[in-house]
Every structure is written in structure tokens, then in C-alpha cells.
Amino acid sequence: MPIEFNRKPGLKPGLVIYLTVGDPDLATTRNIALAAIDAGAEVLELGVPFSDPLADGPVIQRASQRALAHGTSLHDVLTLAAELRILRPSAGLVIFSYFNPILRFGLGRFCAHAARCGVDGILIIDVIVEEAEEYLTEMHHNGLMPIFLAAPTSSDHRLKMIASVSQGFIYAISRVGITGAQQNLAADARRLVERLRLFTLLPIAVGFGISTAEHVAAVGEFADAAVIGSAIVALIEKADPGTAPAGVAAFLQGLRQGQQTAASVS
């Protein structure tokens, strides 16, 4: 199924929500995912917990540690995706992972299983486009959409390569470094999106550090979607499991309301 943003008029940008599956437990992740979709998230990134998440900041690192301590596996992530596909058939579902868990699972086996579970796309954070031939072959064979990260430091040649093989959307990194909430949206993000527009008609989602309604409103001026990750994971870390789904839903609804306020002021 194609990934679509801005299905409701006046709600630009779309929202992509990252969750570390298994934090604080699988049942709570499932309930948070459903609450996020119902609160307006158009795409869910289902994060596979990993023991050495070098690109992630301390908030997501701690979430991975908690999920791994509960025994959360890649198989569990795929099982959750299958449940969500049945319960919320129109939601975009993306598996967000480092390559090592997929390699252990078996690349071909993983892609086939992900397709059977109703997953739309895969984003492997440490697979670079220059070395992705086998990965892309398996993705295409199983009808999955490969999603790549594009950084402000990427050359135009590399951005063109990323655009040529990406499907679904392109994830534009707002700044170089690890994930985590930030106070101001980097100006590099707008320029990166402008550069990507030269090479693709795909939707572009901006992430890394998006945490406020003002950030979301700013992203909506030049991109198709905003990715909310560390801010959501931090909220889950502080909440009781029973209240986390409602807390995430309220946070997303607040982003939308605050975004509309910020847009009207500007």
C-alpha cells in the first residue's frame, strides 16, 4: 500500500511517529501505536531494539535497553506490525532497524516475513545506498519500499542516488549527529529538502530533533512530514504503562493544535 501524507485538508505536514517496540512492554507498545494512529499519525516507524544503537541519543538507547531486557526480538516487531495492519489497515507501517538484527534473521527471510505481515517499508539506518544492491533486490522481490536517510552533508551525487532507489518517502535528517530533541530546527533542513526536490517527487519527511508544535509548523512550510521520535520515547519513559497511550495521544493532539496556532500567528 502506498504511504500517504496529508490525507486530511489543512493538516500539513503529515506525522511520522517512531516507537521502540517493547518499551516498556509489547502490550503497551501496541496500545501506544493504536493511540498514535487514532491521534493523527499517518506513519509508524516500529523501532527494532538493538544493543549498540550508535546513531541514537540517550533517550532511545535507554528504550532499546529496556526492550531488550524484556526479550523483545525482531520477530516480535513483525508480529506487532501484522496486528496493526489488521486493526488500522490504512496506517503506514515502516520497520526501523539497524542491519545486524536483520542479518541474524536472514535478509531474504526477513523481507518475505515483513511483506506477509503487511509492512509497507523498511528503513535500515546503517545500510548506505552505495552498498545496498542485495538489500534492494530482496526489497523489490517482496514488494517492500526501501527508505533511506539523507543528510545535509550528502553530496548532490549521493542525494540523486538515494532519490533514484527510494520508495514511499525520503527521510531527511535535520542535522548531523545522534537523535534527540532540540530547541531550534536547523536551517540545514530546509536547504536539504530543497536539494532533494531537484531529484525526486517523493514525499520528504524531516526528522532528528523534532519535538514541538513550532518545529512541526516550520517543517510544514517546506516538507511533507515531520518525524517525531525522541520526544515520544521520552514521554513513554516517564509515564506509567497504563497512561502512556493516552499521554502520547494528548501530545500528538497538542502538536496539531499548537501547530495551527503557530501557523496562524506567523
Side-chain angles (χ1 to χ4, degrees):
M1 164 178 108
I3 290 176
E4 296 180 1
F5 297 113
N6 312 318
R7 287 191 290 264
K8 295 181 180 180
L11 290 182
K12 185 180 178 180
L15 293 180
V16 179
I17 304 304
Y18 170 90
L19 299 173
T20 299
V21 175
D23 177 42
D25 56 65
L26 288 168
T28 303
T29 301
R30 174 183 177 276
N31 292 336
I32 292 170
L34 294 172
I37 294 167
D38 293 345
E42 289 149 311
V43 175
L44 291 184
E45 292 179 341
L46 300 176
V48 179
F50 183 52
S51 58
D52 192 22
L54 295 178
D56 292 309
V59 170
I60 294 179
Q61 287 182 15
R62 292 194 300 270
S64 281
Q65 291 167 0
R66 290 189 295 270
L68 290 171
H70 297 146
T72 306
S73 67
L74 178 53
H75 186 272
D76 292 327
V77 177
L78 292 170
T79 299
L80 175 61
E83 294 177 11
L84 295 174
R85 175 54 66 223
I86 293 170
L87 295 170
R88 299 295 186 273
S90 64
L93 299 178
V94 173
I95 301 297
F96 189 105
S97 182
Y98 290 83
F99 188 53
N100 189 270
I102 292 171
L103 186 62
R104 292 201 307 266
F105 197 92
L107 178 59
R109 177 175 169 240
F110 164 75
C111 289
H113 194 25
R116 287 194 299 271
C117 290
V119 170
D120 297 301
I122 312 292
L123 195 164
I124 304 181
I125 195 168
D126 53 351
V127 167
I128 60 174
V129 66
E130 293 87 350
E131 300 175 1
E133 183 176 356
E134 180 183 1
Y135 164 64
L136 289 169
T137 297
E138 290 291 348
M139 292 285 286
H140 295 155
H141 178 71
N142 289 280
L144 295 168
M145 292 183 282
I147 299 164
F148 284 90
L149 298 172
T153 53
S154 298
S155 67
D156 283 352
H157 174 72
R158 191 162 196 274
L159 293 182
K160 187 175 182 178
M161 288 182 65
I162 289 170
S164 70
V165 298
S166 295
Q167 296 177 0
F169 65 93
I170 296 174
Y171 188 138
I173 300 172
S174 66
R175 55 185 166 83
V176 178
I178 59 175
T179 59
Q182 61 180 333
Q183 293 299 313
N184 298 304
L185 186 64
D188 288 346
R190 181 187 291 268
R191 177 59 185 145
L192 174 58
V193 171
E194 291 171 350
R195 292 170 63 209
L196 281 166
R197 297 282 191 210
L198 299 175
F199 308 116
T200 186
L201 296 176
L202 285 175
I204 299 172
V206 172
F208 275 45
I210 310 299
S211 59
T212 69
E214 290 75 19
H215 288 163
V216 173
V219 167
E221 294 177 3
F222 59 88
D224 302 286
V227 184
I228 318 291
S230 294
I232 295 284
V233 177
L235 189 158
I236 294 168
E237 181 177 36
K238 297 173 184 175
D240 293 327
T243 62
V248 169
F251 176 77
L252 296 180
Q253 290 163 355
L255 283 182
R256 282 300 193 199
Q257 293 167 1
Q259 171 197 356
Q260 292 167 355
T261 300
S264 64
V265 170
S266 60

